[in-house]
Amino acid sequence: MAEEFEHAGVPYSIQFAYDMDAWCMELSEANAVTRLPGPAFLVAVVPDEDMGPEPTIHVGSTGERDIPYEVMRWFMAKVAEQVEQRGAGLIETGRHGT
């Protein structure tokens, strides 16, 4: 599943994937024609099964890049939504970490 956002004529994409008990959200520029995401330059990891580990942000190391403020706000809002859903889901099911 992916979500798109366009800023200053540049399309961006967030890919969502579930891997090893955590949601991974990858931010990348999307191809202007195909809208397919390119290589991720930010990855948020939001643990799903255990409330103990904190969500983390990994910054890609393929070179320096500027990320527009509005794009970063959009990405972090999506990460915050996932963190809130994680907490709500664990409370509803009675699963709690340490």
Side-chain angles (χ1 to χ4, degrees):
M1 139 174 84
E3 288 192 32
E4 293 183 7
F5 179 75
E6 190 165 317
H7 178 73
V10 178
Y12 293 88
S13 176
I14 298 177
Q15 288 282 105
F16 295 82
Y18 192 78
D19 184 37
M20 303 294 292
D21 298 329
W23 281 99
C24 297
M25 303 167 64
E26 301 178 343
L27 177 64
S28 63
E29 285 187 19
N31 181 290
V33 175
T34 65
R35 301 309 245 198
L36 293 173
F41 48 84
L42 286 178
V43 178
V45 178
V46 180
D48 188 41
E49 297 294 323
D50 184 356
M51 290 295 283
E54 288 185 90
T56 58
I57 304 291
H58 302 273
V59 179
S61 61
T62 58
E64 193 173 310
R65 82 175 305 116
D66 292 329
I67 303 170
Y69 176 75
E70 288 301 320
V71 173
M72 184 60 88
R73 277 187 52 184
W74 171 67
F75 180 68
M76 292 309 297
K78 295 298 178 182
V79 172
E81 287 175 14
Q82 194 63 46
V83 170
E84 288 174 18
Q85 288 175 9
R86 166 185 93 145
L90 291 175
I91 290 168
E92 288 174 11
T93 62
R95 295 181 296 166
H96 298 278
T98 54

